[in-house]
Amino acid sequence: MVKMVILGSSYAVADESHENTHMVLIGSKRSVMVDCVCRPIFRLKKAGIDFNGLTGLILTHFHPDHVSGVPLLLMNMWILKRTQPLIIYGLHHTLDRVEHLMRFYGWEDWPNFFPVVFHRLPAEEMVPVLENSEYRIHASPVKHLIPTIGLRIEAIRSQKVLVYSCDTEPCPQVVRLAQGADWLIHEAHGEMAGHSSAYQAGNIAREAGVAYLYLIHYPTGDFDFHSLIKEAQKSFNENVGLAEDYMEIVLDETSL
């Protein structure tokens, strides 16, 4: 089975019911987390996912609400005696800063630390990130305040496609990335520099010809976030929903 599990759906200011936006792609043999915040091993465990099954981590950009959990994930994996390698994917801009951050924690001196491999991606459209027998992932730069990537995930057998915009203003790169996708998970922080409104997300979904739009990275707390569905439907008169914490999207129900 190939499925995406939403581990958090909130924008930068989380609340008691919504953690910062991050997610995990689950396969029979390889599972990859997309961004890492809060208490990552706790969130994985609550979703019924063994942290030792995590083979990779994709970091979309270096903002605290997307990478703040990386040091804790690595330290907890080490304390819990992980031995298998973890591959971390991202742009040079992102991974250079993660390495600098980990040096402040002195991770070079952690005894018997498991291997961590940094896989740096060029800032080009539809760059291959990884591929296995169940799914392939491509990345494209999007328009945020700092270098950032969106992701296109294709299930090999079912040919279902899920796209994650990450944090971005409306831009043609996301339209091309999401072309003909079954699901587009698009941010709805609000119309401002580096972000999009729900209405703008609907426009992107319509232009890309996607089947279903999920809004994510939306304001939570006292904000009436359920109103975002109607806002998006003004520009995308199709299927629209809110991504919620621990929601699952199944791309392929077949088991290897």
Side-chain angles (χ1 to χ4, degrees):
M1 175 180 285
V2 179
K3 65 180 180 180
M4 180 70 85
V5 181
I6 306 298
L7 297 176
S9 56
S10 176
Y11 75 155
V13 185
D15 66 16
E16 63 275 9
S17 302
H18 303 82
E19 188 48 77
N20 296 137
T21 294
H22 63 306
M23 57 198 76
V24 60
L25 180 67
I26 305 296
S28 299
K29 296 181 179 179
R30 297 189 64 177
S31 297
V32 181
M33 183 183 284
V34 179
D35 290 336
C36 182
V37 302
C38 187
R39 296 176 291 167
I41 288 183
F42 170 80
R43 301 296 286 190
L44 289 167
K45 185 176 181 180
K46 190 172 180 180
I49 301 164
D50 180 5
F51 79 93
N52 275 316
L54 201 67
T55 55
L57 171 62
I58 300 173
L59 299 177
T60 61
H61 65 294
F62 196 77
H63 272 164
D65 58 322
H66 291 265
V67 300
S68 63
V70 173
L72 194 58
L73 175 70
L74 297 178
M75 185 181 73
N76 286 354
M77 285 179 164
W78 168 60
I79 290 172
L80 294 172
K81 302 187 184 308
R82 179 185 175 101
T83 57
Q84 64 265 44
L86 180 72
I87 305 174
I88 303 181
Y89 306 85
L91 296 171
H92 287 263
H93 180 276
T94 305
L95 299 191
D96 288 350
R97 284 156 177 77
V98 169
E99 284 199 273
H100 289 320
L101 176 65
M102 292 308 301
R103 289 193 190 104
F104 281 118
Y105 288 109
W107 71 329
E108 301 97 334
D109 300 323
W110 297 357
N112 302 314
F113 188 64
F114 62 93
V116 174
V117 179
F118 288 97
H119 185 87
R120 286 170 166 79
L121 304 171
E124 301 169 0
E125 286 194 50
M126 290 299 292
V127 167
V129 179
L130 65 92
E131 181 172 351
N132 56 47
S133 60
E134 293 183 292
Y135 56 81
R136 65 175 65 94
I137 303 176
H138 288 84
S140 288
V142 296
K143 192 176 181 181
H144 191 39
L145 303 174
I146 61 174
T148 301
I149 52 173
L151 302 172
R152 182 181 177 96
I153 300 159
E154 302 172 1
I156 303 296
R157 289 187 298 273
S158 71
Q159 298 187 326
K160 296 289 187 181
V161 177
L162 181 149
V163 171
Y164 171 42
S165 73
C166 196
D167 294 12
T168 183
E169 295 178 29
C171 62
Q173 294 95 320
V174 177
V175 175
R176 290 191 287 268
L177 192 67
Q179 200 67 43
D182 297 278
W183 302 274
L184 170 60
I185 303 175
H186 198 290
E187 74 120 295
H189 181 119
E191 187 174 350
M192 63 188 72
H195 291 286
S196 303
S197 67
Y199 180 83
Q200 291 173 316
N203 271 332
I204 295 295
R206 177 175 48 79
E207 291 179 35
V210 306
Y212 203 105
L213 170 64
Y214 278 112
L215 303 174
I216 203 167
H217 201 274
Y218 48 81
T220 52
D222 295 332
F223 181 81
D224 179 19
F225 46 83
H226 292 288
S227 66
L228 296 174
I229 294 177
K230 290 184 178 179
E231 182 184 335
Q233 287 173 331
K234 292 178 181 178
S235 54
F236 181 65
N237 191 22
E238 300 292 340
N239 298 312
V240 181
L242 286 178
E244 295 278 4
D245 293 33
Y246 300 112
M247 183 186 83
E248 297 184 358
I249 301 174
V250 178
L251 284 75
D252 185 357
E253 296 184 2
T254 308
S255 298
L256 286 178

